[in-house]
Amino acid sequence: MRKYDAEAAAKGLTNRERGALDVAANLTWRTQAARADFSEYLELVALDPSGHPVKQGMIHRTWCGHVNWCWLHGLHPNLVAPWGAGKTTQCVVERPPWVFGSHPQLRVAVVCNIDTNAKLRVAAQERIIHTRRQTQLVFPDLKIAGGKQHSEFSFSIEGSTGSKVDPSLRAWGLFGGGTGSRVDLLLPDDIVDMNNAIKNPTLRQKAIDQMDNVWFPRLEPPCSACDGSGVAGGLVAHAAGNAVACPVCLGWGGGRSLGVGTMWHAKDYWHDRLRRPGFCTLLQKVDRTRTGYETLVFGVPKGLRYPTLDELVMWGNPTADPLRLLTRLRTENVERVRCLNAARAEQDATAGRSRPAAKELAAGASDPVSLFG
C-alpha cells in the first residue's frame, strides 16, 4: 500500500492548503492500513490513560508478531508477561473491536478469573465501539445492536450473519457457564490468580480442567479449506507470496485462541500450556539489569523455525516500513528469544524455573534462536 502523492496533487495550492491535503492523505493511508494491520490500528485508535494516542514499544510489537505467526501455523498463542505491561489492554480489550470491524459474524468469548472482571471487559469494549471517534473512522459500520443479547456480560454487532443464538461477544468468569455456546475466538485473560493458584491449591488442576473440558471444546474447528491458516492454499501459498484470504472462512481460519496472563505457581495453567502440544507461549520477564525484557518461546513444533526479533516485529506490523521499524528496534532493550523443546519446558515447569540453561536446544533446530545473533 503506497501513500498518496500529496505533492503532485497540491500544485498551485497555498502552503496551508498543501499541508492540509498532506495530512488528509496520510490519515487516509493510516486508516486503510489500520483495517488490515492490528499494530497500525492500535496506534491510530487506542488511547493511553491520559487520553493521548498510544505508542507501541517493541515488547508490544513482538506480541502482535507472535499472535500472527502462531495463527498462520495453526497454533494457539499465549503471552505471559509481567503485570502492567499492557497484555489485557492490547489483546483482550482492543483486539475484539478490530476483529469485529472486518468479521462482524464472528463470536468472541472472554474468560477472566472472576465475573466482575468479565463485566469490566465487556464495558470497556462497548466504550471503544460507541464513543471513540477513531474507531468509527476506521470501521464506520461497526455498531452494537440492541435486543435481549445486550447485557453487562454480552453484546451483538449489527450486521452479524453468524449464529442467531450466540451474541458477538460474551464474557464469563473461569468457573462460570459456557456450555452450548460456540466460539470463533477464545480469549483467556488472567485466569490464574492468587486465589486459584496459591490460597486454594486444589483449584490449580480444576482451572486446567475447566479450560480443557469447558472452554476449548467450544471453539469451532479449523477451516478445512485452508488448514486453519486463513490463506487460500494454506502455508504453501503463503510461502510462495500468494497470501490471499481464504474464500471459505474469509481469512479467519476457524476457531482460534489467544491467552494472556502471569505465572503464579509451577503447576498452574500457564505452566501447563508450556508443554501442551498445539500451544506456543511467549514468556517475557524483566532481565537481570531491570532495563529490558528477556523473552523465551515454548512450544515451537519440530520442523518450524521461529522468527528472529527483526522478523517477529515485521510479522506483527506487515504494512509498516521495514527500515523505520528496524531502526526503532535497535533503540529498545529486548534481550533475546530462545525456543525450548517440550521436554525441557516440562522440566522447568516442574522445578519452578523459567530461566533456561545455556545448552538448551530449539524445537526442530540445533541451537537456540538468538534475536541479536
Side-chain angles (χ1 to χ4, degrees):
M1 188 181 299
R2 297 179 58 189
K3 289 186 177 180
Y4 178 68
D5 186 4
E7 287 294 329
K11 291 180 179 179
L13 301 179
T14 66
N15 289 339
R16 177 176 293 183
E17 291 171 331
R18 182 175 300 182
L21 183 59
D22 196 41
V23 169
N26 183 62
L27 181 60
T28 299
W29 178 85
R30 291 190 65 192
T31 301
Q32 293 173 347
R35 295 184 183 124
D37 188 332
F38 183 57
S39 287
E40 294 291 338
Y41 170 85
L42 283 172
E43 295 204 342
L44 180 63
V45 172
L47 303 175
D48 63 19
S50 62
H52 296 98
V54 301
K55 194 70 175 177
Q56 288 201 102
M58 296 316 300
I59 183 175
H60 306 114
R61 293 184 183 277
T62 60
W63 296 348
C64 293
H66 179 70
V67 171
N68 290 345
W69 185 86
C70 287
W71 280 353
L72 179 71
H73 291 88
L75 300 170
H76 294 293
N78 290 321
L79 302 171
V80 178
W83 291 303
K87 303 181 299 297
T88 293
T89 299
Q90 183 193 106
C91 302
V92 180
V93 175
E94 298 288 352
R95 187 173 281 269
W98 180 76
V99 169
F100 289 139
S102 301
H103 301 278
Q105 78 281 3
L106 296 184
R107 297 153 297 178
V108 178
V110 178
V111 182
C112 299
N113 56 339
I114 56 176
D115 287 345
T116 301
N117 287 336
K119 290 191 290 186
L120 292 175
R121 304 298 182 264
V122 174
Q125 293 182 42
E126 283 191 278
R127 288 194 298 271
I128 289 172
I129 296 174
H130 268 315
T131 64
R132 266 201 203 157
R133 180 180 60 85
Q134 298 94 327
T135 306
Q136 294 301 317
L137 180 66
V138 179
F139 299 114
D141 297 327
L142 182 61
K143 294 178 176 61
I144 294 177
K148 62 181 181 179
Q149 291 183 337
H150 191 181
S151 72
E152 58 185 359
F153 287 99
S154 65
F155 62 75
S156 288
I157 298 297
E158 284 188 3
S160 172
T161 58
S163 170
K164 300 298 182 181
V165 177
D166 299 326
S168 298
L169 181 123
R170 182 177 290 178
W172 292 274
L174 173 60
F175 296 105
T179 303
S181 302
R182 302 302 300 169
V183 176
D184 299 293
L185 175 59
L186 178 64
L187 300 173
D189 173 33
D190 279 325
I191 58 174
V192 179
D193 59 15
M194 174 71 78
N195 181 60
N196 61 41
I198 306 298
K199 291 183 177 180
N200 297 290
T202 58
L203 292 180
R204 292 179 205 139
Q205 187 59 45
K206 288 182 179 180
I208 296 171
D209 293 341
Q210 184 78 355
M211 293 302 300
D212 289 342
N213 300 326
V214 175
W215 297 113
F216 274 98
R218 305 277 71 78
L219 275 177
E220 294 287 352
C223 174
S224 58
C226 62
D227 296 326
S229 67
V231 178
L235 293 175
V236 175
H238 184 273
N242 301 319
V244 179
C246 173
V248 177
C249 63
L250 303 180
W252 182 245
R256 291 173 168 177
S257 76
L258 167 55
V260 299
T262 303
M263 291 179 172
W264 284 82
H265 191 274
K267 294 185 179 180
D268 65 15
Y269 171 82
W270 299 116
H271 276 87
D272 176 81
R273 298 300 112 160
L274 297 184
R275 56 185 183 271
R276 186 71 68 94
F279 291 83
C280 189
T281 300
L282 196 68
L283 172 61
Q284 294 170 316
K285 58 182 181 176
V286 178
D287 64 18
R288 290 181 174 181
T289 67
R290 297 188 178 275
T291 60
Y293 292 95
E294 181 181 4
T295 305
L296 311 174
V297 180
F298 295 78
V300 178
K302 187 176 182 180
L304 284 182
R305 184 184 70 85
Y306 193 77
T308 65
L309 182 57
D310 290 359
E311 294 168 342
L312 197 63
V313 170
M314 295 310 303
W315 269 96
N317 202 170
T319 64
D321 179 82
L323 180 60
R324 177 181 65 85
L325 267 184
L326 298 181
T327 300
R328 180 179 173 186
L329 167 67
R330 300 310 177 189
T331 66
E332 300 284 344
N333 186 5
V334 181
E335 190 177 88
R336 61 183 180 276
V337 166
R338 290 175 178 167
C339 300
L340 305 182
N341 59 25
R344 187 55 192 243
E346 183 172 1
Q347 294 173 12
D348 283 344
T350 303
R353 300 193 308 269
S354 59
R355 186 174 183 85
K359 297 291 186 180
E360 287 167 340
L361 300 180
S366 58
D367 296 295
V369 176
S370 173
L371 294 189
F372 291 118

